[in-house]
Amino acid sequence: MPEFVADAILKVDEFSLTSRGHLAGRPDQVLVCRDASAVAWWAGPMARYLLHREAQALRHCCGLPGIPELVLEEPARLVRTWIEGRPMQVARPADAGFYRDASRLLRSLRRCGLTHNDLAKPQNWIVTPDGKAALIDLQLARRHRRRGWRLRVMAYEDLRHLMKHKRLFAPELVGARGRRLANQRSLTGRIWRAPGK
């Protein structure tokens, strides 16, 4: 596989090291590499599973605007395209257009049979230079083969987290329906939180 040349480390956790850079001989294309080859032995199986899940999600929604594209996948390494922009907690978007685009993006994911499942973290939302919404870090994304209750519940939770961020960064844009949505966890979410997760 091509060598990845890292320019900056973006994130380090128990399951991977995420860095920005490019493939050897291709400095013109900015990419992101998630590398799980050096994790502790006890984290290895979970790290590879999360890489596989993210690769599967990226393959399934390939070409969807606002979602990175998968460039290459190995058992312990994943390389995807870079999305220019700032994380939501830095950009603090207050423009109604951003939230309309974010809602559109979630609807597009749902039509593809995908849910993100990690949108409580504002850093997984990116505000692009033109004010559009993008999503990163699809390690916990789930592909739903059937459009049943599980897809509906998880898509509801994705949207609810978006409304919570909207309430925080642009409270004047949140109507009564948005406030209800932000406050009302799904039954599954309430059961999940009842014993302290």
Side-chain angles (χ1 to χ4, degrees):
M1 285 290 185
E3 180 189 359
F4 181 82
V5 181
D7 297 327
I9 294 176
L10 303 176
K11 178 184 174 186
V12 180
D13 60 27
E14 295 85 352
F15 301 112
S16 64
L17 182 148
T18 306
S19 54
R20 185 184 64 206
H22 59 273
L23 296 179
R26 294 289 308 275
D28 55 312
Q29 185 182 19
V30 182
L31 301 171
V32 173
C33 177
R34 193 188 299 277
D35 190 343
S37 60
V39 301
W41 66 268
W42 55 266
M46 178 59 76
R48 288 189 291 275
Y49 171 70
L50 292 174
L51 280 178
H52 173 71
R53 264 185 92 144
E54 182 165 18
Q56 187 178 49
L58 293 176
R59 270 195 305 270
H60 190 64
C61 58
C62 181
L64 194 64
I67 302 291
E69 293 184 20
L70 182 66
V71 175
L72 62 88
E73 177 192 9
E74 298 173 4
R77 187 176 70 153
L78 176 151
V79 178
R80 63 163 176 83
T81 55
W82 166 261
I83 294 182
E84 189 64 42
R86 295 183 296 162
M88 181 185 265
Q89 78 274 16
V90 175
R92 304 183 69 85
D95 178 56
F98 170 82
Y99 294 100
R100 281 195 300 271
D101 193 60
S103 296
R104 175 206 55 80
L105 183 52
L106 291 182
R107 287 193 300 272
S108 297
L109 272 185
R110 181 174 176 172
R111 281 194 294 271
C112 289
L114 282 169
T115 50
H116 189 285
N117 304 324
D118 201 16
L119 294 183
K121 299 176 183 174
Q123 58 266 36
N124 289 339
W125 284 103
I126 298 296
V127 183
T128 66
D130 60 354
K132 300 288 187 183
L135 289 172
I136 58 170
D137 197 356
L138 280 79
Q139 290 186 95
L140 299 182
R142 182 183 178 94
R143 182 182 173 193
H144 303 263
R145 299 187 185 278
R146 287 197 298 255
R147 296 180 177 276
W149 68 270
R150 184 172 291 164
L151 170 62
R152 290 194 299 273
V153 168
M154 291 185 169
Y156 174 88
E157 287 296 320
D158 280 352
L159 181 60
R160 188 177 73 81
H161 287 304
L162 174 62
M163 288 299 107
K164 286 172 65 178
H165 299 318
K166 185 178 181 180
R167 184 179 63 187
L168 176 63
F169 299 121
E172 69 282 357
L173 299 177
V174 183
R177 182 176 178 273
R179 284 193 295 273
R180 281 197 306 274
L181 183 59
N183 291 327
Q184 185 65 51
R185 289 190 186 94
S186 65
L187 176 61
T188 307
R190 293 197 299 273
I191 292 170
W192 169 245
R193 289 184 66 87
K197 298 187 181 181

